[in-house]
Amino acid sequence: MSQRSIGLTPALHDYLCTNGLRESALAAALRAETRQRSDANMQIAPEQGQLMALLLRLIGARRGIEIGVYTGYSALCMAEALPRDGHLLACDINSDTTAIGQTYWARAGVADIVDLRIAPALETLDAEVRAGHLASYDFAFIDADKMGTIDYYERCMALVRPGGLIMLDNTLWDGRVADDNCDDESTEAIRAANRHIAADDRVDIAMVPIADGLTLAYRR
């Protein structure tokens, strides 16, 4: 048996999805619609959405933050895992892509859970801080512009309660974080964020090699 995480061949990924994936019909439909877009690589993998939803149920999450909504698949996965009186503060700057998600949220009956804010995420998060909502959220999911990751993380550290969970996407960045020949801004920003979180003794962490890398930071 290997002592390293295995890579998924197409055949093994198909096996995983056939035997281990539970996905609502509307989530599958949204994923299929998004797959037709030229920027479809921005969407998370379905097994990642399933894992995130499971983690939210395990911690009894009711209130959360999403930074970077895209077409709304991850928001749908998370909102479906929240109770009927749950709340997901969803931050994005693109009203066109998020409009796709809004259609599916309404069809899934979770439109009242997802509170979409079209504005720079730091503006929305800073407003939450000023409003006194410190430690009032159970979780956050960060999947936005990589240069802002550390700032997003620090705002979420203020807003997420002890015992809550911060999840960060793309932390393995298709392997580019380990390629010395890659020195573009996004790659360097992800490396810096990974180092920042690894050294943060306020959290317990696991960098999970699922999809493009998902870091879990448990707020102590």
Side-chain angles (χ1 to χ4, degrees):
M1 299 295 289
S2 173
Q3 293 183 343
R4 297 186 303 170
S5 298
I6 63 173
L8 295 183
T9 63
L12 190 52
H13 185 258
D14 287 344
Y15 179 88
L16 182 155
C17 291
T18 300
N19 294 277
L21 179 63
R22 294 180 180 178
E23 182 181 40
S24 71
L26 283 171
L30 173 53
R31 184 163 57 88
E33 179 174 337
T34 303
R35 194 183 304 125
Q36 307 306 312
R37 297 177 55 89
S38 61
D39 58 356
N41 64 312
M42 294 175 61
Q43 181 174 266
I44 68 168
E47 61 269 26
Q48 179 179 334
Q50 181 179 2
L51 173 63
M52 290 163 49
L54 177 62
L55 292 171
L56 299 191
R57 291 187 174 101
L58 286 172
I59 67 170
R62 306 180 71 85
R63 289 169 46 82
I65 300 167
E66 178 174 49
I67 304 170
V69 177
Y70 185 44
T71 61
Y73 179 82
S74 52
L76 178 57
C77 292
M78 293 187 290
E80 288 178 331
L82 298 180
R84 285 303 313 152
D85 61 348
H87 178 255
L88 178 63
L89 177 63
C91 307
D92 206 286
I93 58 172
N94 190 323
S95 58
D96 293 328
T97 52
T98 53
I100 298 171
Q102 287 178 296
T103 300
Y104 285 87
W105 303 336
R107 291 170 60 188
V110 298
D112 57 333
I113 291 176
V114 184
D115 177 10
L116 178 63
R117 308 281 182 91
I118 300 297
L122 285 180
E123 291 183 7
T124 300
L125 299 176
D126 285 342
E128 290 294 292
V129 171
R130 289 194 301 272
H133 297 156
L134 303 178
S136 67
Y137 287 90
D138 302 303
F139 71 92
F141 176 50
I142 302 173
D143 184 16
D145 61 292
K146 304 313 171 190
M147 280 71 76
T149 299
I150 292 177
D151 287 333
Y152 299 143
Y153 173 78
E154 288 299 330
R155 298 312 194 279
C156 290
M157 283 295 292
L159 292 166
V160 171
R161 63 170 172 83
L165 183 66
I166 300 174
M167 303 174 285
L168 300 96
D169 198 27
N170 306 120
T171 52
L172 294 179
W173 202 226
D174 199 29
R176 293 193 291 275
V177 288
D179 185 344
D180 292 339
N181 294 315
C182 293
D183 59 359
D184 59 277
E185 283 188 341
S186 292
T187 302
E188 292 290 2
I190 293 170
R191 288 173 179 148
N194 287 343
R195 291 191 298 268
H196 181 82
I197 296 165
D200 188 355
D201 61 7
R202 298 171 295 175
V203 294
D204 295 318
I205 67 167
M207 186 181 288
V208 183
I210 189 172
D212 199 27
L214 178 68
T215 291
L216 307 175
Y218 174 80
R219 181 83 162 87
R220 291 179 179 175

